[in-house]
Amino acid sequence: MDWGSNVAYHRFDAVIVGAGGAGLMAAIQLAGKANVAVVSKLYPPRSHTGAAQGGISAALGNVEEDHWRWHMFDTVKGGDYLVDQDAAEVLAREAIDAVYELEHMGLPFNRTPDGRIDQRRFGGHTRNYGEGPVRRACYAADRTGHMIIQTLYQQGIKNQLNFFDEHHLMDVLFSEDGRACGVVTMEIATGEIHVIHAKAVMIATGGYGRVWSVTSNAVAGTGDGVALTYRRGVPVMDMEFYQFHPTGLYRLGILLSEAARGEGGILRNKDGEAFCARYAPTLRDLAPRDMISRFIHQEIQAGRGIDGKDYVHLDLTHLPPELIDEKLPDVTDFARTYLDVEPKTEGVPVQPTAHYAMGGLPTNIDGQVIQNRDATPVPGLYSAGEAACVSVHGANRLGTNSLVDLVVFGRRAGKHILETLKDAEWAPLPPEPEFMAKAAIDRLLQAPKSGKGERIADIRSTMQQVMMDDVSVERSETSLLRAEAAIRELQHAYTYASVMDKSKVFNTDLTEALELGCLLDCAEATVHGALARQESRGAHYRSDFTTRDDKNWLAHSLVYKTSGGLELDKKPVTITEFEPKERKY
Ligand SMILES: Cc1cc2nc3c(=O)[nH]c(=O)nc-3n(C[C@H](O)[C@H](O)[C@H](O)COP(=O)(O)OP(=O)(O)OC[C@H]3O[C@@H](n4cnc5c(N)ncnc54)[C@H](O)[C@@H]3O)c2cc1C
């Protein structure tokens, strides 16, 4: 097969894979100071960051008293104390400056009457260490991510970053002595293989929500960068903590932002009861997402879903219509467009939807990927954003804390890369660096072996259903063992799968097949971590171990893919100020 017979070689100081908020924020730090390549399988403004709706948190205190230390506390408590507190401090402190930096780049935030950045409520954000809700989320209507990605991309264009748009990451390269030294990509328009040799490599490829059948994530959310790095022996951390957002549109999973509840929306069961108040008397509908998703799950299990079905209503009918139009225009339009429901007069059917990966590639607070429980950095390898686990979200991320994670830790990673570039050399590429990438393509293009040609779409939909049924809001040993066996079988089937389209030009059949391989790896690590963790914490709720077990599990999980199978280790949690307590809201 002549696929990839021509390989294009490039040399840059740094290569950043991912042009969402995290990748762009890092790249902007290097612009004009180093030669940097930014690789993205999507045209950059189409990155998932553009879909973010509700806001970005920072304790600006513009509309009521707030402090970064309260933000830090909420982040730690929201994450069920699995958060590394040194990282949470950096997040909360630097959020303030990062939001002003975005403002100065031109981001059109909503404003207070006196012209400052307006702020609204979001789940789990409180004043004075939990006394009541606080307005901390800075926002641009319900299109905050769209405004962030446009603003950052414009900065990237202004600074003449070298964009490799619509290049699909195929492999992460390491020199013989273990230094990250580049990546291999496939140009989607031509099928041409590119090797990008670099002194520093950053993975900012976002999350992997497409593992589940009901998800808020776009089709590109397939965990490619995480999976490809994991295949190279780098561990993934805390993968069992995957967040289900409480309010996805029924059956579709499309997100109805928490901003809707921040502006006063209320969840109701079939009796019209505002049930969150029963479970979380202080924060009610603004308790953190892991809890609200579980409340909904419990209401449904108890037969109190609407019409006995597996959804509840998000009620906005009591809100002033002009507030809905001004502050929630997009999300209410989703309800009209996709469910034919008018939120001003009717309850919107919602159910939990797979939303956000708390786990990912483990990093320190400078974005360096680490390889073990002692936090030893992998030389030359960086990660930030949803692909990374720094860990500021612990067992459960608070709403609006992802966007701030991107800009704070994307910026820190970019700055650290710049610093290390002063003394860094190009580590030698491995012999035939494109070998693995070409082998993966060749295998998928081969004719199916008789009787064993599996369809990519079938494997994907089975995986999504298995994960939805057995590894979502609630898990148990029985369901996880079932999922483990099913994923193993699907991985085996994948080795026989092939694609119909053999062409080189925009072969999305092929890219989807490559993505499926990555999704299966992410699913495998998620199940492995979930089986090992015999406790309930944050988004990981085990019906057979219903309480938190700090004695044995106040620790991050590290999963390694080795030639002998998966291995699990534990890494200690960094606790600086806030001792673990029972989480009540
Ligand atoms: C509907 C929705 C609403 C949200 N609302 C909020 C909110 O209000 N506040 C908040 O804090 N968070 C929110 N989030 C979460 C937040 O938007 C994401 O966690 C965050 O934007 C992820 O950013 P990122 O830079 O890590 O990755 P992304 O923005 O997902 O970017 C990933 C990049 O990697 C590239 N990439 C991926 N795979 C490959 C590959 N194989 N080859 C080359 N390039 C590749 C993509 O092209 C893309 O450029 C929301 C999420 C969703 C789904």
Side-chain angles (χ1 to χ4, degrees), residues 17-23 39-44 46-57 122 144-145 149 167-170 204-207 216-218 220 222-225 228 254-255 257 289 355-356 384-387 397-404 406 515:
V17 189
V39 173
S40 175
K41 68 179 176 183
L42 304 171
Y43 174 59
R46 293 190 60 223
S47 302
H48 217 311
T49 297
Q53 299 170 351
I56 173 167
S57 55
F122 245 79
T144 313
I149 198 84
H167 274 242
H168 194 99
L169 177 71
M170 301 289 303
T205 46
S216 66
N217 282 203
T222 51
D224 307 354
L228 292 167
I254 296 170
L255 193 73
S257 170
R289 291 175 180 175
H355 183 60
Y356 182 85
E386 196 171 334
R397 170 175 77 83
L398 292 187
T400 70
N401 258 359
S402 170
L403 292 177
V404 73
L406 311 181
E515 289 170 340

Side-chain angles (χ1 to χ4, degrees), residues 87-150:
E89 177 172 340
V90 168
L91 179 93
R93 264 180 193 274
E94 296 187 10
I96 296 168
D97 181 52
V99 164
Y100 286 133
E101 189 175 340
L102 290 174
E103 182 190 35
H104 296 164
M105 286 180 192
L107 198 146
F109 283 111
N110 273 46
R111 299 279 161 182
T112 60
D114 62 352
R116 293 188 287 172
I117 295 173
D118 198 8
Q119 299 187 271
R120 64 178 163 207
R121 291 177 174 171
F122 245 79
H125 292 284
T126 70
R127 73 183 131 77
N128 205 17
Y129 308 105
E131 270 178 13
V134 75
R135 295 176 196 278
R136 186 176 292 146
C138 312
Y139 65 99
D142 52 2
R143 308 178 184 116
T144 313
H146 174 81
M147 298 307 180
I148 289 180
I149 198 84
Q150 296 294 336

Side-chain angles (χ1 to χ4, degrees), residues 181-200:
C181 60
V183 296
V184 183
T185 71
M186 179 184 68
E187 192 172 348
I188 300 171
T190 62
E192 189 178 15
I193 299 291
H194 294 248
V195 171
I196 304 178
H197 191 187
K199 297 173 187 172

